[in-house]
Amino acid sequence: MQVIKNYLYNAGYQILLMFAPLITTPYISRVLGPHASGINSYTNGWVTFFCLIGQMGITLYGNREVAYHRDDKRERSRIFWGVEALQLGTIILSMLAYLVIIFIFSTTFRTFYLLQTFWIIAAGLDVSWYFMGMEDFKKTVVRNTIVKLVTICLIFVVVKQESDLWKYILLLGLAQVGGNITLWPYLRNSIQWVSPRFWKPFQHFYPALILFIPTITTQIYLVVNKLMLGRLGAQDALGQFDYADKIVKLVLAIVTATGTVMLPHVANKFAKGDVKGVRQSLYNSFEFVTALAVPMMFGLMAISKKFAPWFLGGKYVPTGEIMFIEAPVILFIAWSNVIGTQYLMPVKRVNEFTVSVTVGAISNIILNFILIPRYVSNGAALATVCAEFLVAAVQLYCVRTTIRRRVLFKNLWRYLLPGFIMFWIVYHINAMMTMNIINLVFQGAIGVIIYAVGVIILRAPIVKQAQEILRK
């Protein structure tokens, strides 16, 4: 029941993240335009690398270690202080490197790069990994919700024209810093002070570094599209791709919310030697995300071409086609999230996880060089889909001796069939109707009904899971 509650907290926040852009994105896309939006995406893509280098896998490592020692307050407190000391040290070094590189190599966008620095500072103050390890998602979700709502209000007050791009970047960075600071007071009742001589931060360095390798590799093919589009394409094309990618990833976030919840849960079971429980958690989670990802993928594809220019503005017609091409990553990332984040990571099979994301990163870069010069944003989207498919495929190969893959996929057709029927019907309805909020809600309702009726008629296992949850 605790897992369900945590998922609802996290999924609820992910839904807020979906609705927030429904309010701000149409405004920002029109005020800033594709060019300024592309500059923000490009500079933020670089700062993301330095944030990742500074955090060095500590978020996943700290989450897992706290989960392992959840019942020992003294040990988990020692782990917290040691991991946080390491995080602050690596973040400071990363920020210094970032600033040096900016002042040496950057001239055109230097101001925007400097404003993005607040994201690195926020990363050093982030202790959400501790509460995730404790499976206490309420605090992080409530904090994030308040910060998000305040930020939304300030965006409309502060950002008025294209020249306000610097205000937009500064606002988002400061919001991130403020949000991370607000979690610290909650630590007082959860941990105890431990003398610095017992922290031993460097004992966490190597295991965190091992987790950092797949983390940074994953981000390479998440961010590299934007960086390569900025170099090989144009800022306008980058703006088109960035908004398509954001919309797809916002939908995906509801599905992958299970990964954040299940990692500490599975890690705790693994620490207690409950191998059977770990395997059953994987089967249940895979079934759940498949049932959720299939209709989201098909639903987004069905409405994408009319939704993009209506939602973002007339300049974003190409964004609809990009969304259509990229939508399958919702299903592929959902699968790799279950196998990689929810299974391989907590049971300490990090090397196999690293191999899978490395294959994805290398294939993504190669495909970008081939496809972006010819197809620009559409090429970047297609490269992303191929890379995510390969990640999921490699992970499935890696678990062939411990997980029964036939169990994972035996009911897949029960979701794909009603999902495709839903897509076909909604796609044609969308083609006949003008896009507005009423018609969008109508199309969404039709899609939900068709899919729900389909999985019930086909007796998909998710129906039984839902009934058991309701009985509890």
Side-chain angles (χ1 to χ4, degrees):
M1 197 62 186
Q2 180 66 27
V3 174
I4 297 170
K5 187 184 295 184
N6 287 332
Y7 173 74
L8 291 176
Y9 273 126
N10 207 27
Y13 177 63
Q14 299 303 331
I15 291 172
L16 171 66
L17 289 181
M18 277 190 66
F19 280 105
L22 293 178
I23 301 170
T24 60
T25 299
Y27 176 75
I28 290 297
S29 63
R30 287 167 171 81
V31 170
L32 297 182
H35 183 73
S37 297
I39 292 173
N40 174 52
S41 177
Y42 185 65
T43 55
N44 187 259
W46 281 108
V47 83
T48 298
F49 272 122
F50 284 89
C51 285
L52 289 167
I53 291 170
Q55 284 194 307
M56 204 191 66
I58 287 170
T59 300
L60 285 173
Y61 171 75
N63 181 341
R64 192 183 71 181
E65 291 303 302
V66 169
Y68 284 157
H69 302 282
R70 187 185 306 156
D71 300 326
D72 186 342
K73 185 175 182 179
R74 167 74 182 182
E75 181 60 16
R76 76 168 187 258
S77 298
R78 188 190 70 80
I79 288 171
F80 169 80
W81 291 113
V83 170
E84 180 57 23
L86 177 64
Q87 177 172 265
L88 286 173
T90 53
I91 281 291
I92 290 171
L93 292 175
S94 179
M95 186 167 68
L96 290 174
Y98 177 75
L99 293 172
V100 168
I101 290 173
I102 286 174
F103 282 107
I104 292 176
F105 296 105
S106 176
T107 54
T108 308
F109 301 142
R110 181 177 295 172
T111 299
F112 303 117
Y113 278 121
L114 290 173
L115 292 172
Q116 298 280 11
T117 306
F118 284 100
W119 286 89
I120 304 179
I121 297 172
L125 299 171
D126 182 20
V127 292
S128 60
W129 49 267
Y130 173 81
F131 295 99
M132 291 176 185
M134 293 294 292
E135 293 194 69
D136 185 358
F137 287 83
K138 182 178 180 180
K139 291 184 176 64
T140 56
V141 168
V142 170
R143 179 281 311 247
N144 287 338
T145 300
I146 294 171
V147 171
K148 179 61 67 176
L149 292 174
V150 171
T151 304
I152 290 171
C153 295
L154 289 175
I155 285 173
F156 288 104
V157 173
V158 173
V159 184
K160 298 291 187 181
Q161 53 194 353
E162 187 173 348
S163 60
D164 288 335
L165 173 61
W166 71 271
K167 297 178 182 178
Y168 180 64
I169 294 173
L170 178 62
L171 176 59
L172 294 181
L174 289 176
Q176 196 73 10
V177 172
N180 287 348
I181 289 175
T182 59
L183 268 182
W184 279 78
Y186 293 112
L187 291 168
R188 183 173 55 186
N189 298 323
S190 185
I191 63 171
Q192 63 190 54
W193 173 253
V194 176
S195 174
R197 71 176 183 273
F198 297 113
W199 292 0
K200 300 179 180 178
F202 292 108
Q203 82 171 30
H204 304 295
F205 180 82
Y206 180 72
L209 182 63
I210 295 300
L211 286 178
F212 168 69
I213 295 171
T215 302
I216 190 65
T217 307
T218 300
Q219 289 301 317
I220 285 174
Y221 65 84
L222 293 179
V223 178
V224 76
N225 296 322
K226 300 174 185 179
L227 300 182
M228 293 182 72
L229 270 173
R231 289 292 183 185
L232 301 178
Q235 298 304 322
D236 286 7
L238 175 55
Q240 301 280 359
F241 175 81
D242 187 45
Y243 277 118
D245 188 62
K246 283 179 179 176
I247 293 171
V248 171
K249 296 299 169 59
L250 283 171
V251 175
L252 174 67
I254 296 179
V255 182
T256 55
T258 58
T260 308
V261 172
M262 291 300 293
L263 189 152
H265 180 74
V266 173
N268 191 251
K269 281 188 174 183
F270 179 71
K272 294 177 179 178
D274 186 6
V275 177
K276 185 178 179 181
V278 169
R279 190 177 293 115
Q280 190 57 49
S281 293
L282 174 71
Y283 292 143
N284 291 340
S285 188
F286 196 90
E287 194 77 36
F288 176 78
V289 300
T290 300
L292 206 56
V294 167
M296 289 184 173
M297 173 187 70
F298 280 127
L300 189 62
M301 292 173 71
I303 66 169
S304 61
K305 293 185 179 180
K306 281 193 175 181
F307 175 81
W310 168 76
F311 183 58
L312 299 169
K315 296 179 181 178
Y316 292 89
V317 172
T319 303
E321 188 174 356
I322 300 169
M323 288 168 56
F324 186 93
I325 295 170
E326 192 179 349
V329 303
I330 295 173
L331 184 60
F332 299 146
I333 294 179
W335 288 343
S336 62
N337 181 266
V338 174
I339 300 168
T341 305
Q342 299 180 36
Y343 180 72
L344 294 177
M345 297 286 270
V347 302
K348 297 185 177 182
R349 294 174 62 176
V350 181
N351 289 340
E352 292 161 296
F353 183 77
T354 302
V355 169
S356 69
V357 295
T358 301
V359 169
I362 293 172
S363 63
N364 183 249
I365 292 171
I366 294 171
L367 288 170
N368 272 329
F369 275 114
I370 297 171
L371 297 173
I372 288 178
R374 185 170 182 179
Y375 301 108
V376 197
S377 300
N378 289 349
L382 184 58
T384 300
V385 173
C386 294
E388 295 295 354
F389 171 78
L390 287 174
V391 171
V394 172
Q395 289 181 1
L396 284 166
Y397 177 79
C398 290
V399 300
R400 68 192 184 283
T401 58
T402 54
I403 299 298
R404 296 172 63 190
R405 291 173 295 181
R406 185 176 297 178
V407 175
L408 294 179
F409 289 104
K410 70 177 182 180
N411 294 300
L412 177 60
W413 71 274
R414 301 178 194 271
Y415 304 111
L416 288 178
L417 180 58
F420 181 77
I421 294 172
M422 177 198 73
F423 163 77
W424 190 86
I425 294 173
V426 174
Y427 181 84
H428 285 85
I429 291 175
N430 180 263
M432 294 185 292
M433 302 176 74
T434 57
M435 180 59 73
N436 56 51
I437 188 64
I438 295 174
N439 289 343
L440 180 62
V441 171
F442 172 75
Q443 292 167 30
I446 291 294
V448 169
I449 292 170
I450 293 170
Y451 183 73
V453 170
V455 296
I456 291 171
I457 292 174
L458 296 177
R459 297 181 181 179
I462 191 64
V463 178
K464 186 176 180 180
Q465 283 189 19
Q467 290 172 342
E468 291 176 353
I469 291 172
L470 290 174
R471 280 197 294 267
K472 292 179 181 179

